Amino acid sequence: MNLAIFLSGRGSNFLSIAKAIECGDLSAEITLVASNREDAAGLETARQRNIPTVVFDRKRFDQGSEFGSFMLSKLSEHEVDFIALAGYLRKIPPMVIKRYSNRIVNIHPALLPRYGGKGMYGMAVHQAVIESGDTVSGVTIHFVDEIYDNGEIIHQEEVPVLPGDTAEKLAARVLKVEHRLYPAILQELVLRENTR
Ligand code: GRF
């Protein structure tokens, strides 16, 4: 399975996926790493590993449909079968969602449907969990549709919120689970695709 990773930032989940592939735990190939930001650290990580990269900058296109077509052309150029969003902070154009129906997944650092939606990313998620007094947070992997954090949930894993936690401490605990879980669930999806 040819995988595209979409990211906007540091790309630690991308790295955990790349490492799982290298050690044979995930039967896929990352054929493209895409970002909406030219300065995303994850793009540099991709270049160091000789993985092709692309910047999807909506501002360079007058029409949303032109942007969608450009994205689709790059995905097709790199023979992408499946897209994993890993800290990608933009909506995916409708025509791409349509073409890759049930083949785009996202990871979210909380138990959706709580703590999701527009603006709920990064430390804001963990801060909201801490402020709520919840004793459990977690990780959600879900299919992507046109609404932020809304698509069908594929898998969730709980992560405890401990007394005295700060958003930073909770984020670190959740991220550790993300790094283990994302490659494992992607492997399940690869196996599912192969038996279709
Ligand atoms: C992760 O916490 C992920 O759940 C969220 O964005 C963060 C990305 O981190 N969607 P990284 O760029 O993979 O380090």
Side-chain angles (χ1 to χ4, degrees), residues 59-135:
K59 291 192 296 296
R60 283 195 222 144
F61 300 84
D62 290 336
Q63 306 286 331
S65 58
E66 287 170 26
F67 180 55
S69 299
F70 176 70
M71 199 179 268
L72 278 180
S73 74
K74 286 288 164 190
L75 293 169
S76 133
E77 189 183 311
H78 294 276
E79 299 180 354
V80 170
D81 304 310
F82 208 94
I83 301 170
L85 309 187
Y88 186 66
L89 301 177
R90 287 282 180 278
K91 277 195 180 164
I92 303 295
M95 76 169 78
V96 178
I97 297 209
K98 225 177 187 173
R99 177 78 62 85
Y100 282 86
S101 154
N102 286 325
R103 288 184 292 143
I104 310 178
V105 294
N106 180 43
I107 188 161
H108 187 78
L111 295 175
L112 292 174
R114 302 199 71 191
Y115 311 110
K118 200 169 170 25
M120 280 307 243
Y121 62 87
M123 223 36 95
V125 175
H126 303 292
Q127 194 60 47
V129 174
I130 297 281
E131 280 166 16
S132 75
D134 283 1
T135 53

Side-chain angles (χ1 to χ4, degrees), residues 7 9-14 85-89 106-109 122 126 174-175 178-179:
L7 50 79
R10 69 189 159 189
S12 70
N13 276 286
F14 154 50
L85 309 187
Y88 186 66
L89 301 177
N106 180 43
I107 188 161
H108 187 78
H126 303 292
V174 169
L175 192 63
E178 292 186 49
H179 292 164

